[in-house]
Amino acid sequence: MKKIVLISGATSGIGEATARILAQKDYGLILCGRRADRLSTLEAQLKLQTKVLTLNFDITNQGDVEAAVAQLPKEWRNIEVLINNAGNAHGLGPFQEGSLNDWETMIDLNVKGLLYLTKAILPLMLPQNKGHIINIGSVAGIQPYPNGNVYCASKAAVHSFTQCLRMDLHTKGIKVSEIKPGMVETEFSLVRFKGDEQRAQRVYEGYEPLRPQDVADLIAYMLEAPAHVNLADVLIFPAAQAASGMVHKTL
Ligand code: 8X3
């Protein structure tokens, strides 16, 4: 096995696609997620290609994050790559009509969860004097859009934090990168619109959105770049997209 990679939010979308591509490339995979059934299915499939360990915990609970990392067996502790992928949007509407519960969920998951996991993994990475942390942000973090309020703010926090973390770690041999995807067809809109399939589908109609595999390919490329190269900050759009909310649809 080439390197040990830990992926949060590995049970669907970009996280799952990344696990599948890195398994083909012989990385050892620690797959994290809340959906135990999906984790075991993925583990059973990917075990045919590489070494896999699954960790089933809630990233928004700091105690659970610490406990999950503390219980890693010795042979899995040399984590070289952390992919902070877990994150979601909940709701899309004017701030004044927003739900406190949705805001808490996004801040807890997109911001605090990412911080908890990074804090827990760094003590394993720092003694190696090498490593790579890839945070999955969003174009929403640099180009906020109407009704995106708290989601955009949470991704702006990821963007700002990633830049600071790169400064804090650049003397420690640890690369820090951010990927900011535009429109990617995953469960993202289904979650954002609380299971409303028609509304979610409309987001991806009339153009070819990115697939989770497109972002996973980028992650693999970033990991396989020469040691002296860091793709520090990458915006990735489908060809039909020019900016947040600006997609050329042919409907
Ligand atoms: C996903 C892209 O534009 O829907 O973060 O926020 S967007």
Side-chain angles (χ1 to χ4, degrees):
M1 120 178 119
K2 240 181 331 206
K3 286 178 184 174
I4 298 178
V5 180
L6 185 145
I7 306 173
S8 70
T11 53
S12 67
I14 294 169
E16 179 186 348
T18 303
R20 292 188 184 282
I21 284 179
L22 296 186
Q24 285 165 18
K25 293 179 179 289
D26 196 33
Y27 287 85
L29 298 175
I30 303 175
L31 306 177
C32 308
R34 263 177 323 147
R35 292 176 283 192
D37 51 335
R38 288 217 199 181
L39 272 181
S40 345
T41 309
L42 194 58
E43 180 183 26
Q45 293 170 358
L46 300 188
K47 258 192 170 160
L48 304 172
Q49 294 172 295
T50 191
K51 292 206 163 107
V52 181
L53 181 83
T54 57
L55 290 180
N56 180 213
F57 64 94
D58 178 3
I59 197 174
T60 66
N61 183 312
Q62 198 259 337
D64 285 5
V65 174
E66 252 185 49
V69 174
Q71 64 154 49
L72 280 172
K74 192 165 174 287
E75 64 274 22
W76 283 98
R77 299 187 75 80
N78 278 350
I79 295 169
E80 254 190 79
V81 179
L82 166 62
I83 301 176
N84 275 317
N85 164 70
N88 253 322
H90 292 266
L92 179 72
F95 178 78
Q96 60 275 22
E97 292 167 20
S99 132
L100 195 67
N101 196 43
D102 284 347
W103 305 341
E104 302 275 18
T105 305
M106 288 186 282
I107 302 281
D108 285 351
L109 177 63
N110 302 357
V111 184
K112 290 167 73 179
L114 185 148
L115 299 180
Y116 295 154
L117 190 59
T118 307
K119 177 84 172 157
I121 297 300
L122 271 174
L124 305 179
M125 217 178 244
L126 282 164
Q128 303 180 58
N129 292 313
K130 62 181 177 190
H132 198 163
I133 298 174
I134 299 179
N135 293 336
I136 306 301
S138 167
V139 62
I142 53 166
Q143 296 175 12
Y145 47 82
N147 298 320
N149 44 71
V150 178
Y151 175 70
C152 295
S154 74
K155 290 297 186 175
V158 171
H159 180 51
S160 189
F161 170 67
T162 305
Q163 294 172 81
C164 292
L165 189 66
R166 188 158 49 243
M167 295 174 204
D168 293 346
L169 295 176
H170 82 287
T171 58
K172 310 288 182 197
I174 299 176
K175 296 185 200 177
V176 179
S177 312
E178 183 185 3
I179 298 178
K180 293 194 272 302
M183 309 303 275
V184 189
E185 188 165 9
T186 61
E187 291 176 350
F188 177 84
S189 291
L190 198 60
V191 173
R192 168 170 260 178
F193 300 134
K194 305 182 190 309
D196 182 338
E197 285 180 18
Q198 280 184 346
R199 197 173 169 201
Q201 240 168 15
R202 281 200 295 276
V203 174
Y204 307 110
E205 271 171 10
Y207 70 105
E208 188 167 353
L210 291 173
R211 307 286 164 205
Q213 292 82 351
D214 300 318
V215 182
D217 280 337
L218 172 61
I219 291 172
Y221 179 76
M222 288 164 85
L223 294 183
E224 307 222 318
H228 67 287
V229 176
N230 181 15
L231 282 99
D233 198 348
V234 184
L235 185 63
I236 177 170
F237 281 155
Q241 184 171 12
S244 266
M246 186 183 279
V247 177
H248 180 59
K249 293 197 173 199
T250 52
L251 282 172

